[in-house]
Amino acid sequence: GALRGLARVKPGSAVIPLVNWPSDAPRAGEQPIQQVRVNLNLNSLGVAGAADARLFAPGAEPKTLPVQQESVTVPELELWAVLELRGK
């Protein structure tokens, strides 16, 4: 599947909506994506020094995911989720 995301930022925090949107759009979210690596530019997002991200997905408890080498790995993405980052 194809992953789409567009960050929204304000000083010290950023949210990135993630959408599992395959090329055959009517099937969006039918095939969850596993181990999705999201590359981040923490300085550009205004969250320099962020050590973790919170993942919010429908029907699931929020998860805290580590930021490693300016990326976050989302264990599974069904139709959509939101990553939240906060700077130090």
Side-chain angles (χ1 to χ4, degrees):
L3 174 68
R4 306 203 189 262
L6 180 61
R8 298 288 182 229
V9 299
K10 68 177 188 176
S13 67
V15 293
I16 305 169
L18 305 173
V19 180
N20 177 1
W21 199 266
S23 57
D24 53 348
R27 297 174 48 101
E30 285 183 16
Q31 293 292 106
I33 304 173
Q34 306 296 319
Q35 300 302 309
V36 178
R37 183 176 175 186
V38 180
N39 294 316
L40 307 164
N41 183 325
L42 299 177
N43 285 329
S44 292
L45 291 170
V47 292
D52 54 40
R54 298 272 291 157
L55 178 71
F56 300 91
E61 291 294 317
K63 293 180 183 163
T64 300
L65 305 173
V67 174
Q68 299 175 327
Q69 299 175 350
E70 297 228 343
S71 71
V72 172
T73 299
V74 176
E76 181 176 80
L77 178 64
E78 291 191 22
L79 179 56
W80 65 271
V82 175
L83 278 177
E84 177 191 43
L85 296 122
R86 295 192 182 272
K88 296 280 177 179

